């Protein structure tokens, strides 16, 4: 893999873990997700006049991707209400990796070098270990939390595949990204208005500073991811993005005071080995 693409994805992985930690650290996670969507939309609206319209072929994918982007935010906020970052995040990202790899290689026919596939598998194995001691990835979570986490993973996998196709059809990453963020934000704003009414928006006022930071980080993170999806196989991009688990574990320990055990550290080592294999592919 090109070193520039690799470095960009790893930086995006760190940013992804950072904004997730901010969401988890906040008492009202849904409000944080709403603020992130609002900030992303505001930034995108500023950019829109300076980018061309996406190619016509990309528009169905732009409209479609707003759905899983919105459900991802809703599921993720709920998962963090009931589970800790060091457990929910690895399980969600690991399941996302498995779904994206299967879809991109099996359904889309993307070509990934054998060594790259081995690297994806090693990262996936590390994710299973990271989810908890003496456990497979699905053990140790309450049934409700597990179901919500599965919903978040399925949503993330869906928008990764849809965005990977759409951004390549759009003709330019910037135009697809800007419109994607607008439609994504509108979807979340509409959901909040229907389910919580005006109270959903008034609740954001006390948290505007951290929401601005988290939204800006999330915007930058996924813009980089879209650029990577346009320049590398979707399965490899997804695998490298899951290294955000390493950063999430560090933040869980340093900022949220969550416990890290030997199994989690072993899983982190496996994830790092997977990165090296993908780099060599």
């Amino acid at each position: 893999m090109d070193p520039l693409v690799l470095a960009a994805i790893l930086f995006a992985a760190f940013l992804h873990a950072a904004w997730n930690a901010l969401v988890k650290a906040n008492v009202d996670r849904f409000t944080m997700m709403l603020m992130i969507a609002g900030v992303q939309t505001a930034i995108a609206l500023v950019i829109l006049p300076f980018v061309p319209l996406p190619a016509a072929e990309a528009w169905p994918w732009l409209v479609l991707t707003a759905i899983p982007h919105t459900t991802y935010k809703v599921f993720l906020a709920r998962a963090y209400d009931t589970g800790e970052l060091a457990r929910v995040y690895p399980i969600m990202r690991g399941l996302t990796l498995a779904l994206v790899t299967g879809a991109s290689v099996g359904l889309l026919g993307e070509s990934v070098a054998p060594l790259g596939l081995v690297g994806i598998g090693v990262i996936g194995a590390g994710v299973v270990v990271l989810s908890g001691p003496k456990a497979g990835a699905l053990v140790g979570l309450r049934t409700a939390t597990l179901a919500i986490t599965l919903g978040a993973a399925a949503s993330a996998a869906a928008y990764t595949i849809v965005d990977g196709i759409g951004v390549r059809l759009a003709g330019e990453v910037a135009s697809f990204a800007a419109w994607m963020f607008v439609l994504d934000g509108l979807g979340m704003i509409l959901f909040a208005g229907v389910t919580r009414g005006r109270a959903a928006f008034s609740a954001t006022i006390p948290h505007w500073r951290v929401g601005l930071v988290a939204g800006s980080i999330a915007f930058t993170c996924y813009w980089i991811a879209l650029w990577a999806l346009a320049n590398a196989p979707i399965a490899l991009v997804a695998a490298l993005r899951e290294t955000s688990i390493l950063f999430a574990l560090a933040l869980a320990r340093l900022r949220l005071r969550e416990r890290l055990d030997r199994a989690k550290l072993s899983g982190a080592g496996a994830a790092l080995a997977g990165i090296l294999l993908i780099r060599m592919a």
Side-chain angles (χ1 to χ4, degrees), residues 81-106:
D81 282 339
T82 57
E84 61 179 17
L85 178 69
R87 184 172 292 275
V88 168
Y89 193 89
I91 293 173
M92 177 196 54
R93 300 313 305 180
L95 290 171
T96 300
L97 171 59
L99 293 170
V100 169
T101 301
S104 62
V105 176

Side-chain angles (χ1 to χ4, degrees), residues 259-277:
R259 178 175 169 269
L260 299 184
D261 51 49
R262 188 175 299 175
K264 289 187 175 71
L265 295 176
S266 299
L272 289 174
I275 295 172
L276 293 176
L277 289 171

Side-chain angles (χ1 to χ4, degrees), residues 89-179:
Y89 193 89
I91 293 173
M92 177 196 54
R93 300 313 305 180
L95 290 171
T96 300
L97 171 59
L99 293 170
V100 169
T101 301
S104 62
V105 176
L107 298 179
L108 302 181
E110 282 201 336
S111 176
V112 178
L115 196 57
L117 289 174
V118 172
I120 292 172
V122 171
I123 290 177
V127 166
V128 171
V129 177
L130 283 167
S131 67
K134 304 177 184 178
L138 305 183
V139 177
L141 246 62
R142 293 167 47 196
T143 302
T145 304
L146 175 58
I148 295 166
T149 303
L150 288 171
S155 298
Y159 74 62
T160 299
I161 293 295
V162 171
D163 289 347
I165 297 171
V167 74
R168 296 173 186 184
L169 294 173
E172 185 177 331
V173 174
S175 59
F176 183 89
W179 281 102

